[in-house]
Amino acid sequence: VYTIYPPAQSFVSTITLPNNTPQDVLLFPTYEAARLAGFSDFRGYAGHTLQPGQEVTLRLAAKGPAGTLYRVSWAMDASGRPAPNNPGEPTPIVAGSNLVSWINEVNRECKGELQPPN
């Protein structure tokens, strides 16, 4: 069993600006963004408990600079906040660990960016 809370675990991490420049961002889904996008179904903003093999489709919206979605990320383990690599650094903004990302483009090479965490 896997319990998820999509607005806390997902975020837009890169957009492509109108001039085709990628920009790293940290945009979390909000009800305001969903209303602005015209959503009438807000089930994606609730917690879900998934059984083994169960699938769910989630619809979320985030508000940010003008551009096109390029990368969306998900914190697989939202139970904690990772510690900084150096104690003098600030605590990471994204709660959770084991981040996975999806790129919004056709993968013509049939390979991913999987690699062990640093």
Side-chain angles (χ1 to χ4, degrees):
V1 176
Y2 183 57
T3 301
I4 60 172
Y5 186 61
Q9 289 178 261
S10 62
F11 57 98
V12 175
S13 50
T14 308
I15 62 171
T16 302
L17 299 174
N19 65 3
N20 282 336
T21 302
Q23 179 176 341
D24 290 335
V25 293
L26 186 60
L27 306 172
F28 290 96
T30 65
Y31 280 116
E32 176 188 5
R35 283 192 290 274
L36 288 171
F39 288 14
S40 58
D41 179 356
F42 296 95
R43 285 181 283 178
Y45 290 83
H48 299 271
T49 298
L50 303 175
Q51 299 299 320
Q54 182 181 357
E55 294 180 16
V56 64
T57 299
L58 305 169
R59 191 169 181 214
L60 303 165
K63 186 178 175 185
T68 304
L69 175 77
Y70 180 73
R71 183 187 321 258
V72 65
S73 297
W74 181 273
M76 296 291 290
D77 179 6
S79 64
R81 185 175 297 264
N85 292 333
N86 177 340
E89 294 176 358
T91 302
I93 295 172
V94 178
S97 59
N98 297 319
L99 299 179
V100 294
S101 296
W102 292 268
I103 305 295
N104 186 25
E105 67 180 24
V106 175
N107 183 348
R108 299 186 190 288
E109 297 177 18
C110 296
K111 66 180 184 179
E113 299 176 2
L114 298 178
Q115 55 186 283
N118 295 334

